[in-house]
Amino acid sequence: MTAGGTRTGGQEPDNGTALFARPVKPRSIKVHEAAVNATRDLLAEGGLPAATIDAIAARSGVSKATLYKHWPSRTAVAAEAFGRDMADAVPASDTGTTAGDLAEQVLLVSRFYASPEGTVFSQLLAATVTDEGGAAYFRAWFLAGRRKAIAAIWQRGTERGDVRPGVDADTAIDLLFGPLIYRLLTGHLPLTDEAATAVADAALHGLLTTTPKD
Amino acid sequence: MTAGGTRTGGQEPDNGTALFARPVKPRSIKVHEAAVNATRDLLAEGGLPAATIDAIAARSGVSKATLYKHWPSRTAVAAEAFGRDMADAVPASDTGTTAGDLAEQVLLVSRFYASPEGTVFSQLLAATVTDEGGAAYFRAWFLAGRRKAIAAIWQRGTERGDVRPGVDADTAIDLLFGPLIYRLLTGHLPLTDEAATAVADAALHGLLTTTPKD
Amino acid sequence: MTAGGTRTGGQEPDNGTALFARPVKPRSIKVHEAAVNATRDLLAEGGLPAATIDAIAARSGVSKATLYKHWPSRTAVAAEAFGRDMADAVPASDTGTTAGDLAEQVLLVSRFYASPEGTVFSQLLAATVTDEGGAAYFRAWFLAGRRKAIAAIWQRGTERGDVRPGVDADTAIDLLFGPLIYRLLTGHLPLTDEAATAVADAALHGLLTTTPKD
Amino acid sequence: MTAGGTRTGGQEPDNGTALFARPVKPRSIKVHEAAVNATRDLLAEGGLPAATIDAIAARSGVSKATLYKHWPSRTAVAAEAFGRDMADAVPASDTGTTAGDLAEQVLLVSRFYASPEGTVFSQLLAATVTDEGGAAYFRAWFLAGRRKAIAAIWQRGTERGDVRPGVDADTAIDLLFGPLIYRLLTGHLPLTDEAATAVADAALHGLLTTTPKD
DNA sequence: GGATAATCGAGACGGTACGTCCAGTCTTTGG
DNA sequence: CCAAAGACTGGACGTACCGTCTCGATTATCC
């Protein structure tokens, strides 16, 4: 068991594998939910900096000690809270073509990153760097779902023969969305629709004039 | 003036624009250097968490107040200290071909990210998310130099006609290195040579079978 | 009913009056004993600080809720556990003279206070200051027995005509042992045999040169 | 250096020896005073339990970190705060006779112990049992002063030839005041004027009918 | 002998305080 | 006049323990 060893209560993260522990003794789902909801509100209001453990405890009525029994760190709580609704934040695409689907996803994700939620996302991502416990939750509650959605498109593309053989889904996903994360984090350039489109186009068709020899 | 309004002392960051203020009164270069050197050592020993303001002050003999006259935040000091030597950390490439140069750069950067310095890099990047002052330093002392180096390769490629027209350098750079940053930060997959090669290949030749129509 | 209103199970404290309530419904003696024994061990190992409610519960297998049905507070459990064997810790004296008996008791008690058990005693005494419920148990299980033993000597002395008329047992006991407690608690001076002897002598014969006129 | 290694600011404790460190760099007296005053108020209002570190910090405006630089523990702050005015709480006695002076002191101290301040005193005394750092402050700021005052009376008595030779001041003090502390802490009997008088009388003239043979 | 009721183990929970850590500001002192 | 030294506030951290409470799973008497 990777992320925590504690129950999660209620809905499970989109993590394919049975990442989170089974409830041996049902720890109050109410408590878990209260904490998550309070955290979500705090994130919406003031981003990750506002979601301190004390604030979460105060707003949710869940004591700090209990929070630490449910999650390994405040980042983990925030990751779960933030990841809950994000499944729907970026809807799936079905434009009829693989290229279209992927390009649209890049555009939608870019817009998401450019939105206030994107700020929270970057704060969360940053927080996981020095918090391995939180990182597991972040991957489980956020990344995994998103990557799975894209992997599905990629799989469809493979079956259709649209995608280059030899390129696996992970590489494709990294290539399409890594650039957005790069911009989001360093802020060296803005996350505009044009930039997103350009990135998607470049990723799909390559940077060079030469055709791959394979 | 964005990053600080303070002198930087000694060597200038590779930031193209006149980002940093002119030394109106020469504030001790010795002090500046001492702080940077101490910080570099601390980063090497314990990463960004070790480079607290108190630690920097103690080790360098520079008082905290003085540090804040030279830099807007601790992240800024660390960014400068870390960026100093990083210019040489990834040597330029000249394989004879644009594709080769770019692929090699991706590989080298991937290895750098996978190294202990890569950890510091990610910590620094994470820190800039909630520290705009530090972010400016980070971009100036680290990113700008790297991007400039790749831009030069790209420019050469453009002149040689190796690269697809309509793709600007920024897009290309983001596409090539964004995926590495993505992996570095989320840790969803390891930063192996194979992954780097795969990313570079995919970026250069595109994800799809179809040829761009433009 | 002062100390708890709960049954005590097993052996009764040396409290003269019917201090502790009658069992309306028999509460397991086994449970009571288990808790007391576990607590005694914990006290021996780490003093009162080690005898937390959780530790007692864990070691004895008695749940916290049950502990609180048997005792009003953790101090009360500890007081009973500690008082159990302490009856024998300081044997009675019979030197043949009242002065000898009292002096010997002072010496023995001083040694007891100076021993590791003395530390626990002082911790317990300290704990009762902010725990009235525990205080009742402390008096019942510890003090009462000790005072009764001395009172017996005093009574014998009265009958023999050894002791000054008008001095009641309580005053005598306080005078003889108060100084030891004073030292034990404040630690301003060590609890040596010499000090104990000096105290006993001074108490028995008075501080002044003048003879009481009564 | 025993108690803290930190400066105390303002007035010095009555501790004879140079117990407290010399200020290498003057730490703000204002801060020290503010903390002490706030603590005194809190003690008066709610006793030691009310004088939590957070409460002291909040009321005094001195941050917790600073408090811990000035004192080793909350008990230490409270001891100093409480001890400040206690010098005057029990005035010196001068009845003309040694016996009178001592008896009066016992009575006054008994009344002090029986007062609300006495409760605080006992809480403080209890707290020092598990807080050696605080104990040093308690001895320095409270006990030392009181003992010194009695020792002066004793010295006078020695010079007058009123007191039994061979009884040192420490023994005398312990004998006179230990009984009061005993009662204060265990509460086995109330601290009445009669009891105090009886104790003083017994201490001064001895418990036995026999005259000391020395 | 089964119903009724309490006891009990297990341990989650809220609450309160703790003592620590670090950032960034402000003050004092010395050269 | 500037810089070193470092005191100071503020705020969050994660921990510890208390005493209460809610579960079911035993008992154990009483009808």
Side-chain angles (χ1 to χ4, degrees), chain A residues 4 20 22 32 58 67 77 84-85 104 107 111 120 125 128 135 137 165 188 192 208 213:
Chain A
F20 294 87
R22 202 102 323 275
H32 199 99
L67 290 175
V77 195
R84 282 287 184 94
D85 352 60
E104 188 176 278
L107 185 60
R111 282 178 185 160
V120 176
L125 183 50
T128 64
Y137 274 77
H188 59 90
T192 60
L208 306 184
K213 43 236 110 213

mmCIF file with all atom_site columns, all heavy atoms in Angstrom, chain A residues 4 20 22 32 58 67 77 84-85 104 107 111 120 125 128 135 137 165 188 192 208 213:
data_model
loop_
_atom_site.group_PDB
_atom_site.id
_atom_site.type_symbol
_atom_site.label_atom_id
_atom_site.label_alt_id
_atom_site.label_comp_id
_atom_site.label_asym_id
_atom_site.label_entity_id
_atom_site.label_seq_id
_atom_site.pdbx_PDB_ins_code
_atom_site.Cartn_x
_atom_site.Cartn_y
_atom_site.Cartn_z
_atom_site.occupancy
_atom_site.B_iso_or_equiv
_atom_site.pdbx_formal_charge
_atom_site.auth_seq_id
_atom_site.auth_comp_id
_atom_site.auth_asym_id
_atom_site.auth_atom_id
_atom_site.pdbx_PDB_model_num
ATOM 1   N N   . GLY A 1 4   ? -0.529  5.983  2.268   1.00 0.00 ? 4   GLY A N   1
ATOM 2   C CA  . GLY A 1 4   ? -1.144  6.265  3.541   1.00 0.00 ? 4   GLY A CA  1
ATOM 3   C C   . GLY A 1 4   ? -1.411  5.086  4.454   1.00 0.00 ? 4   GLY A C   1
ATOM 4   O O   . GLY A 1 4   ? -1.069  5.112  5.609   1.00 0.00 ? 4   GLY A O   1
ATOM 5   N N   . PHE A 1 20  ? -5.322  2.233  -2.048  1.00 0.00 ? 20  PHE A N   1
ATOM 6   C CA  . PHE A 1 20  ? -5.632  2.632  -0.683  1.00 0.00 ? 20  PHE A CA  1
ATOM 7   C C   . PHE A 1 20  ? -6.183  1.469  0.140   1.00 0.00 ? 20  PHE A C   1
ATOM 8   O O   . PHE A 1 20  ? -6.864  0.594  -0.377  1.00 0.00 ? 20  PHE A O   1
ATOM 9   C CB  . PHE A 1 20  ? -6.615  3.794  -0.706  1.00 0.00 ? 20  PHE A CB  1
ATOM 10  C CG  . PHE A 1 20  ? -6.007  5.013  -1.304  1.00 0.00 ? 20  PHE A CG  1
ATOM 11  C CD1 . PHE A 1 20  ? -6.052  5.210  -2.676  1.00 0.00 ? 20  PHE A CD1 1
ATOM 12  C CD2 . PHE A 1 20  ? -5.326  5.921  -0.522  1.00 0.00 ? 20  PHE A CD2 1
ATOM 13  C CE1 . PHE A 1 20  ? -5.464  6.317  -3.241  1.00 0.00 ? 20  PHE A CE1 1
ATOM 14  C CE2 . PHE A 1 20  ? -4.738  7.031  -1.090  1.00 0.00 ? 20  PHE A CE2 1
ATOM 15  C CZ  . PHE A 1 20  ? -4.806  7.225  -2.451  1.00 0.00 ? 20  PHE A CZ  1
ATOM 16  N N   . ARG A 1 22  ? -7.926  -1.078 2.716   1.00 0.00 ? 22  ARG A N   1
ATOM 17  C CA  . ARG A 1 22  ? -9.271  -1.500 3.027   1.00 0.00 ? 22  ARG A CA  1
ATOM 18  C C   . ARG A 1 22  ? -9.641  -1.034 4.418   1.00 0.00 ? 22  ARG A C   1
ATOM 19  O O   . ARG A 1 22  ? -8.827  -1.038 5.314   1.00 0.00 ? 22  ARG A O   1
ATOM 20  C CB  . ARG A 1 22  ? -9.281  -3.030 3.005   1.00 0.00 ? 22  ARG A CB  1
ATOM 21  C CG  . ARG A 1 22  ? -10.637 -3.637 2.786   1.00 0.00 ? 22  ARG A CG  1
ATOM 22  C CD  . ARG A 1 22  ? -10.765 -4.111 1.332   1.00 0.00 ? 22  ARG A CD  1
ATOM 23  N NE  . ARG A 1 22  ? -10.086 -3.193 0.466   1.00 0.00 ? 22  ARG A NE  1
ATOM 24  C CZ  . ARG A 1 22  ? -10.680 -2.072 -0.014  1.00 0.00 ? 22  ARG A CZ  1
ATOM 25  N NH1 . ARG A 1 22  ? -11.897 -1.764 0.307   1.00 0.00 ? 22  ARG A NH1 1
ATOM 26  N NH2 . ARG A 1 22  ? -10.032 -1.291 -0.814  1.00 0.00 ? 22  ARG A NH2 1
ATOM 27  N N   . HIS A 1 32  ? -14.379 12.054 7.153   1.00 0.00 ? 32  HIS A N   1
ATOM 28  C CA  . HIS A 1 32  ? -13.565 12.149 5.947   1.00 0.00 ? 32  HIS A CA  1
ATOM 29  C C   . HIS A 1 32  ? -14.168 13.154 4.961   1.00 0.00 ? 32  HIS A C   1
ATOM 30  O O   . HIS A 1 32  ? -13.482 14.042 4.446   1.00 0.00 ? 32  HIS A O   1
ATOM 31  C CB  . HIS A 1 32  ? -13.471 10.759 5.313   1.00 0.00 ? 32  HIS A CB  1
ATOM 32  C CG  . HIS A 1 32  ? -12.339 10.609 4.367   1.00 0.00 ? 32  HIS A CG  1
ATOM 33  N ND1 . HIS A 1 32  ? -11.140 10.011 4.714   1.00 0.00 ? 32  HIS A ND1 1
ATOM 34  C CD2 . HIS A 1 32  ? -12.206 10.978 3.077   1.00 0.00 ? 32  HIS A CD2 1
ATOM 35  C CE1 . HIS A 1 32  ? -10.342 10.020 3.674   1.00 0.00 ? 32  HIS A CE1 1
ATOM 36  N NE2 . HIS A 1 32  ? -10.958 10.596 2.654   1.00 0.00 ? 32  HIS A NE2 1
ATOM 37  N N   . ALA A 1 58  ? -10.417 23.615 11.592  1.00 0.00 ? 58  ALA A N   1
ATOM 38  C CA  . ALA A 1 58  ? -11.384 24.580 12.105  1.00 0.00 ? 58  ALA A CA  1
ATOM 39  C C   . ALA A 1 58  ? -12.664 24.560 11.278  1.00 0.00 ? 58  ALA A C   1
ATOM 40  O O   . ALA A 1 58  ? -13.769 24.518 11.817  1.00 0.00 ? 58  ALA A O   1
ATOM 41  C CB  . ALA A 1 58  ? -10.770 25.981 12.101  1.00 0.00 ? 58  ALA A CB  1
ATOM 42  N N   . LEU A 1 67  ? -7.244  14.284 11.323  1.00 0.00 ? 67  LEU A N   1
ATOM 43  C CA  . LEU A 1 67  ? -6.802  14.517 9.951   1.00 0.00 ? 67  LEU A CA  1
ATOM 44  C C   . LEU A 1 67  ? -5.525  13.732 9.665   1.00 0.00 ? 67  LEU A C   1
ATOM 45  O O   . LEU A 1 67  ? -5.381  13.119 8.612   1.00 0.00 ? 67  LEU A O   1
ATOM 46  C CB  . LEU A 1 67  ? -6.551  16.013 9.731   1.00 0.00 ? 67  LEU A CB  1
ATOM 47  C CG  . LEU A 1 67  ? -7.803  16.895 9.720   1.00 0.00 ? 67  LEU A CG  1
ATOM 48  C CD1 . LEU A 1 67  ? -7.416  18.371 9.605   1.00 0.00 ? 67  LEU A CD1 1
ATOM 49  C CD2 . LEU A 1 67  ? -8.719  16.503 8.561   1.00 0.00 ? 67  LEU A CD2 1
ATOM 50  N N   . VAL A 1 77  ? -4.466  15.742 1.815   1.00 0.00 ? 77  VAL A N   1
ATOM 51  C CA  . VAL A 1 77  ? -5.871  16.148 1.933   1.00 0.00 ? 77  VAL A CA  1
ATOM 52  C C   . VAL A 1 77  ? -6.249  17.017 0.748   1.00 0.00 ? 77  VAL A C   1
ATOM 53  O O   . VAL A 1 77  ? -7.277  16.812 0.091   1.00 0.00 ? 77  VAL A O   1
ATOM 54  C CB  . VAL A 1 77  ? -6.135  16.957 3.223   1.00 0.00 ? 77  VAL A CB  1
ATOM 55  C CG1 . VAL A 1 77  ? -7.626  17.033 3.496   1.00 0.00 ? 77  VAL A CG1 1
ATOM 56  C CG2 . VAL A 1 77  ? -5.415  16.367 4.403   1.00 0.00 ? 77  VAL A CG2 1
ATOM 57  N N   . ARG A 1 84  ? -11.146 15.400 -6.418  1.00 0.00 ? 84  ARG A N   1
ATOM 58  C CA  . ARG A 1 84  ? -12.503 14.891 -6.445  1.00 0.00 ? 84  ARG A CA  1
ATOM 59  C C   . ARG A 1 84  ? -13.296 15.345 -7.676  1.00 0.00 ? 84  ARG A C   1
ATOM 60  O O   . ARG A 1 84  ? -13.779 14.550 -8.457  1.00 0.00 ? 84  ARG A O   1
ATOM 61  C CB  . ARG A 1 84  ? -13.255 15.354 -5.197  1.00 0.00 ? 84  ARG A CB  1
ATOM 62  C CG  . ARG A 1 84  ? -12.925 14.582 -3.972  1.00 0.00 ? 84  ARG A CG  1
ATOM 63  C CD  . ARG A 1 84  ? -13.530 13.183 -4.012  1.00 0.00 ? 84  ARG A CD  1
ATOM 64  N NE  . ARG A 1 84  ? -13.252 12.504 -2.740  1.00 0.00 ? 84  ARG A NE  1
ATOM 65  C CZ  . ARG A 1 84  ? -14.090 12.501 -1.712  1.00 0.00 ? 84  ARG A CZ  1
ATOM 66  N NH1 . ARG A 1 84  ? -15.253 13.093 -1.812  1.00 0.00 ? 84  ARG A NH1 1
ATOM 67  N NH2 . ARG A 1 84  ? -13.753 11.871 -0.593  1.00 0.00 ? 84  ARG A NH2 1
ATOM 68  N N   . ASP A 1 85  ? -13.431 16.648 -7.823  1.00 0.00 ? 85  ASP A N   1
ATOM 69  C CA  . ASP A 1 85  ? -14.287 17.167 -8.887  1.00 0.00 ? 85  ASP A CA  1
ATOM 70  C C   . ASP A 1 85  ? -13.556 17.330 -10.203 1.00 0.00 ? 85  ASP A C   1
ATOM 71  O O   . ASP A 1 85  ? -14.173 17.555 -11.233 1.00 0.00 ? 85  ASP A O   1
ATOM 72  C CB  . ASP A 1 85  ? -14.870 18.519 -8.499  1.00 0.00 ? 85  ASP A CB  1
ATOM 73  C CG  . ASP A 1 85  ? -14.573 18.870 -7.089  1.00 0.00 ? 85  ASP A CG  1
ATOM 74  O OD1 . ASP A 1 85  ? -13.359 18.955 -6.787  1.00 0.00 ? 85  ASP A OD1 1
ATOM 75  O OD2 . ASP A 1 85  ? -15.484 19.043 -6.307  1.00 0.00 ? 85  ASP A OD2 1
ATOM 76  N N   . GLU A 1 104 ? -7.842  18.683 -28.935 1.00 0.00 ? 104 GLU A N   1
ATOM 77  C CA  . GLU A 1 104 ? -8.845  19.298 -28.088 1.00 0.00 ? 104 GLU A CA  1
ATOM 78  C C   . GLU A 1 104 ? -8.511  19.119 -26.614 1.00 0.00 ? 104 GLU A C   1
ATOM 79  O O   . GLU A 1 104 ? -8.663  20.046 -25.807 1.00 0.00 ? 104 GLU A O   1
ATOM 80  C CB  . GLU A 1 104 ? -10.217 18.690 -28.383 1.00 0.00 ? 104 GLU A CB  1
ATOM 81  C CG  . GLU A 1 104 ? -11.335 19.420 -27.661 1.00 0.00 ? 104 GLU A CG  1
ATOM 82  C CD  . GLU A 1 104 ? -12.716 18.876 -28.028 1.00 0.00 ? 104 GLU A CD  1
ATOM 83  O OE1 . GLU A 1 104 ? -13.241 19.287 -29.078 1.00 0.00 ? 104 GLU A OE1 1
ATOM 84  O OE2 . GLU A 1 104 ? -13.239 18.014 -27.287 1.00 0.00 ? 104 GLU A OE2 1
ATOM 85  N N   . LEU A 1 107 ? -5.959  21.558 -25.611 1.00 0.00 ? 107 LEU A N   1
ATOM 86  C CA  . LEU A 1 107 ? -6.537  22.890 -25.493 1.00 0.00 ? 107 LEU A CA  1
ATOM 87  C C   . LEU A 1 107 ? -7.332  23.033 -24.195 1.00 0.00 ? 107 LEU A C   1
ATOM 88  O O   . LEU A 1 107 ? -7.199  24.022 -23.461 1.00 0.00 ? 107 LEU A O   1
ATOM 89  C CB  . LEU A 1 107 ? -7.451  23.154 -26.697 1.00 0.00 ? 107 LEU A CB  1
ATOM 90  C CG  . LEU A 1 107 ? -8.048  24.567 -26.766 1.00 0.00 ? 107 LEU A CG  1
ATOM 91  C CD1 . LEU A 1 107 ? -6.944  25.613 -26.845 1.00 0.00 ? 107 LEU A CD1 1
ATOM 92  C CD2 . LEU A 1 107 ? -8.979  24.685 -27.979 1.00 0.00 ? 107 LEU A CD2 1
ATOM 93  N N   . ARG A 1 111 ? -6.533  25.437 -20.985 1.00 0.00 ? 111 ARG A N   1
ATOM 94  C CA  . ARG A 1 111 ? -7.466  26.409 -20.413 1.00 0.00 ? 111 ARG A CA  1
ATOM 95  C C   . ARG A 1 111 ? -7.657  26.159 -18.910 1.00 0.00 ? 111 ARG A C   1
ATOM 96  O O   . ARG A 1 111 ? -7.775  27.096 -18.123 1.00 0.00 ? 111 ARG A O   1
ATOM 97  C CB  . ARG A 1 111 ? -8.825  26.309 -21.112 1.00 0.00 ? 111 ARG A CB  1
ATOM 98  C CG  . ARG A 1 111 ? -8.812  26.990 -22.473 1.00 0.00 ? 111 ARG A CG  1
ATOM 99  C CD  . ARG A 1 111 ? -10.136 26.836 -23.174 1.00 0.00 ? 111 ARG A CD  1
ATOM 100 N NE  . ARG A 1 111 ? -10.058 27.401 -24.520 1.00 0.00 ? 111 ARG A NE  1
ATOM 101 C CZ  . ARG A 1 111 ? -10.901 27.098 -25.513 1.00 0.00 ? 111 ARG A CZ  1
ATOM 102 N NH1 . ARG A 1 111 ? -11.882 26.221 -25.307 1.00 0.00 ? 111 ARG A NH1 1
ATOM 103 N NH2 . ARG A 1 111 ? -10.768 27.655 -26.696 1.00 0.00 ? 111 ARG A NH2 1
ATOM 104 N N   . VAL A 1 120 ? -4.174  26.479 -8.408  1.00 0.00 ? 120 VAL A N   1
ATOM 105 C CA  . VAL A 1 120 ? -4.189  25.504 -7.322  1.00 0.00 ? 120 VAL A CA  1
ATOM 106 C C   . VAL A 1 120 ? -3.437  24.241 -7.744  1.00 0.00 ? 120 VAL A C   1
ATOM 107 O O   . VAL A 1 120 ? -2.661  23.676 -6.973  1.00 0.00 ? 120 VAL A O   1
ATOM 108 C CB  . VAL A 1 120 ? -5.635  25.157 -6.924  1.00 0.00 ? 120 VAL A CB  1
ATOM 109 C CG1 . VAL A 1 120 ? -5.653  24.077 -5.858  1.00 0.00 ? 120 VAL A CG1 1
ATOM 110 C CG2 . VAL A 1 120 ? -6.350  26.396 -6.445  1.00 0.00 ? 120 VAL A CG2 1
ATOM 111 N N   . LEU A 1 125 ? 1.065   20.636 -7.179  1.00 0.00 ? 125 LEU A N   1
ATOM 112 C CA  . LEU A 1 125 ? 2.182   19.940 -7.810  1.00 0.00 ? 125 LEU A CA  1
ATOM 113 C C   . LEU A 1 125 ? 3.492   20.331 -7.125  1.00 0.00 ? 125 LEU A C   1
ATOM 114 O O   . LEU A 1 125 ? 4.348   19.492 -6.832  1.00 0.00 ? 125 LEU A O   1
ATOM 115 C CB  . LEU A 1 125 ? 2.210   20.305 -9.303  1.00 0.00 ? 125 LEU A CB  1
ATOM 116 C CG  . LEU A 1 125 ? 3.265   19.626 -10.172 1.00 0.00 ? 125 LEU A CG  1
ATOM 117 C CD1 . LEU A 1 125 ? 3.254   18.128 -9.972  1.00 0.00 ? 125 LEU A CD1 1
ATOM 118 C CD2 . LEU A 1 125 ? 3.041   19.975 -11.638 1.00 0.00 ? 125 LEU A CD2 1
ATOM 119 N N   . THR A 1 128 ? 3.988   18.691 -3.754  1.00 0.00 ? 128 THR A N   1
ATOM 120 C CA  . THR A 1 128 ? 4.337   17.271 -3.735  1.00 0.00 ? 128 THR A CA  1
ATOM 121 C C   . THR A 1 128 ? 5.833   17.044 -3.851  1.00 0.00 ? 128 THR A C   1
ATOM 122 O O   . THR A 1 128 ? 6.325   15.966 -3.536  1.00 0.00 ? 128 THR A O   1
ATOM 123 C CB  . THR A 1 128 ? 3.649   16.524 -4.891  1.00 0.00 ? 128 THR A CB  1
ATOM 124 O OG1 . THR A 1 128 ? 4.128   17.025 -6.129  1.00 0.00 ? 128 THR A OG1 1
ATOM 125 C CG2 . THR A 1 128 ? 2.151   16.654 -4.812  1.00 0.00 ? 128 THR A CG2 1
ATOM 126 N N   . ALA A 1 135 ? 2.468   13.309 -2.572  1.00 0.00 ? 135 ALA A N   1
ATOM 127 C CA  . ALA A 1 135 ? 2.640   13.015 -3.998  1.00 0.00 ? 135 ALA A CA  1
ATOM 128 C C   . ALA A 1 135 ? 1.841   11.785 -4.403  1.00 0.00 ? 135 ALA A C   1
ATOM 129 O O   . ALA A 1 135 ? 1.206   11.759 -5.463  1.00 0.00 ? 135 ALA A O   1
ATOM 130 C CB  . ALA A 1 135 ? 4.122   12.823 -4.312  1.00 0.00 ? 135 ALA A CB  1
ATOM 131 N N   . TYR A 1 137 ? -0.876  10.723 -3.127  1.00 0.00 ? 137 TYR A N   1
ATOM 132 C CA  . TYR A 1 137 ? -2.282  11.090 -3.229  1.00 0.00 ? 137 TYR A CA  1
ATOM 133 C C   . TYR A 1 137 ? -2.551  11.910 -4.489  1.00 0.00 ? 137 TYR A C   1
ATOM 134 O O   . TYR A 1 137 ? -3.578  11.756 -5.138  1.00 0.00 ? 137 TYR A O   1
ATOM 135 C CB  . TYR A 1 137 ? -2.720  11.881 -1.989  1.00 0.00 ? 137 TYR A CB  1
ATOM 136 C CG  . TYR A 1 137 ? -3.142  10.998 -0.862  1.00 0.00 ? 137 TYR A CG  1
ATOM 137 C CD1 . TYR A 1 137 ? -2.208  10.343 -0.076  1.00 0.00 ? 137 TYR A CD1 1
ATOM 138 C CD2 . TYR A 1 137 ? -4.486  10.773 -0.588  1.00 0.00 ? 137 TYR A CD2 1
ATOM 139 C CE1 . TYR A 1 137 ? -2.590  9.505  0.953   1.00 0.00 ? 137 TYR A CE1 1
ATOM 140 C CE2 . TYR A 1 137 ? -4.880  9.939  0.445   1.00 0.00 ? 137 TYR A CE2 1
ATOM 141 C CZ  . TYR A 1 137 ? -3.922  9.310  1.213   1.00 0.00 ? 137 TYR A CZ  1
ATOM 142 O OH  . TYR A 1 137 ? -4.308  8.476  2.221   1.00 0.00 ? 137 TYR A OH  1
ATOM 143 N N   . PRO A 1 165 ? 3.500   3.773  -34.860 1.00 0.00 ? 165 PRO A N   1
ATOM 144 C CA  . PRO A 1 165 ? 3.840   2.569  -34.095 1.00 0.00 ? 165 PRO A CA  1
ATOM 145 C C   . PRO A 1 165 ? 5.123   2.817  -33.292 1.00 0.00 ? 165 PRO A C   1
ATOM 146 O O   . PRO A 1 165 ? 5.975   3.590  -33.715 1.00 0.00 ? 165 PRO A O   1
ATOM 147 C CB  . PRO A 1 165 ? 4.053   1.503  -35.162 1.00 0.00 ? 165 PRO A CB  1
ATOM 148 C CG  . PRO A 1 165 ? 3.886   2.159  -36.482 1.00 0.00 ? 165 PRO A CG  1
ATOM 149 C CD  . PRO A 1 165 ? 3.621   3.608  -36.299 1.00 0.00 ? 165 PRO A CD  1
ATOM 150 N N   . HIS A 1 188 ? 7.234   31.188 -17.950 1.00 0.00 ? 188 HIS A N   1
ATOM 151 C CA  . HIS A 1 188 ? 8.085   31.918 -18.894 1.00 0.00 ? 188 HIS A CA  1
ATOM 152 C C   . HIS A 1 188 ? 7.272   32.448 -20.056 1.00 0.00 ? 188 HIS A C   1
ATOM 153 O O   . HIS A 1 188 ? 7.617   33.430 -20.693 1.00 0.00 ? 188 HIS A O   1
ATOM 154 C CB  . HIS A 1 188 ? 9.255   31.049 -19.366 1.00 0.00 ? 188 HIS A CB  1
ATOM 155 C CG  . HIS A 1 188 ? 8.850   29.780 -20.039 1.00 0.00 ? 188 HIS A CG  1
ATOM 156 N ND1 . HIS A 1 188 ? 8.640   29.686 -21.382 1.00 0.00 ? 188 HIS A ND1 1
ATOM 157 C CD2 . HIS A 1 188 ? 8.601   28.555 -19.536 1.00 0.00 ? 188 HIS A CD2 1
ATOM 158 C CE1 . HIS A 1 188 ? 8.286   28.439 -21.687 1.00 0.00 ? 188 HIS A CE1 1
ATOM 159 N NE2 . HIS A 1 188 ? 8.258   27.732 -20.577 1.00 0.00 ? 188 HIS A NE2 1
ATOM 160 N N   . THR A 1 192 ? -1.759  30.433 -23.489 1.00 0.00 ? 192 THR A N   1
ATOM 161 C CA  . THR A 1 192 ? -2.834  30.872 -24.376 1.00 0.00 ? 192 THR A CA  1
ATOM 162 C C   . THR A 1 192 ? -3.355  29.723 -25.224 1.00 0.00 ? 192 THR A C   1
ATOM 163 O O   . THR A 1 192 ? -2.709  28.679 -25.337 1.00 0.00 ? 192 THR A O   1
ATOM 164 C CB  . THR A 1 192 ? -2.330  31.961 -25.319 1.00 0.00 ? 192 THR A CB  1
ATOM 165 O OG1 . THR A 1 192 ? -1.257  31.400 -26.091 1.00 0.00 ? 192 THR A OG1 1
ATOM 166 C CG2 . THR A 1 192 ? -1.815  33.149 -24.530 1.00 0.00 ? 192 THR A CG2 1
ATOM 167 N N   . LEU A 1 208 ? 10.310  18.346 -37.003 1.00 0.00 ? 208 LEU A N   1
ATOM 168 C CA  . LEU A 1 208 ? 11.217  18.406 -38.164 1.00 0.00 ? 208 LEU A CA  1
ATOM 169 C C   . LEU A 1 208 ? 10.479  18.251 -39.485 1.00 0.00 ? 208 LEU A C   1
ATOM 170 O O   . LEU A 1 208 ? 9.316   17.836 -39.523 1.00 0.00 ? 208 LEU A O   1
ATOM 171 C CB  . LEU A 1 208 ? 12.254  17.292 -38.024 1.00 0.00 ? 208 LEU A CB  1
ATOM 172 C CG  . LEU A 1 208 ? 13.033  17.260 -36.709 1.00 0.00 ? 208 LEU A CG  1
ATOM 173 C CD1 . LEU A 1 208 ? 14.073  16.169 -36.753 1.00 0.00 ? 208 LEU A CD1 1
ATOM 174 C CD2 . LEU A 1 208 ? 13.663  18.618 -36.440 1.00 0.00 ? 208 LEU A CD2 1
ATOM 175 N N   . LYS A 1 213 ? 12.002  7.569  -40.393 1.00 0.00 ? 213 LYS A N   1
ATOM 176 C CA  . LYS A 1 213 ? 12.365  6.509  -41.356 1.00 0.00 ? 213 LYS A CA  1
ATOM 177 C C   . LYS A 1 213 ? 11.708  5.165  -41.034 1.00 0.00 ? 213 LYS A C   1
ATOM 178 O O   . LYS A 1 213 ? 11.691  4.270  -41.867 1.00 0.00 ? 213 LYS A O   1
ATOM 179 C CB  . LYS A 1 213 ? 13.881  6.366  -41.471 1.00 0.00 ? 213 LYS A CB  1
ATOM 180 C CG  . LYS A 1 213 ? 14.591  6.418  -40.165 1.00 0.00 ? 213 LYS A CG  1
ATOM 181 C CD  . LYS A 1 213 ? 15.695  7.508  -40.081 1.00 0.00 ? 213 LYS A CD  1
ATOM 182 C CE  . LYS A 1 213 ? 15.307  8.632  -39.144 1.00 0.00 ? 213 LYS A CE  1
ATOM 183 N NZ  . LYS A 1 213 ? 15.778  9.946  -39.489 1.00 0.00 ? 213 LYS A NZ  1
#
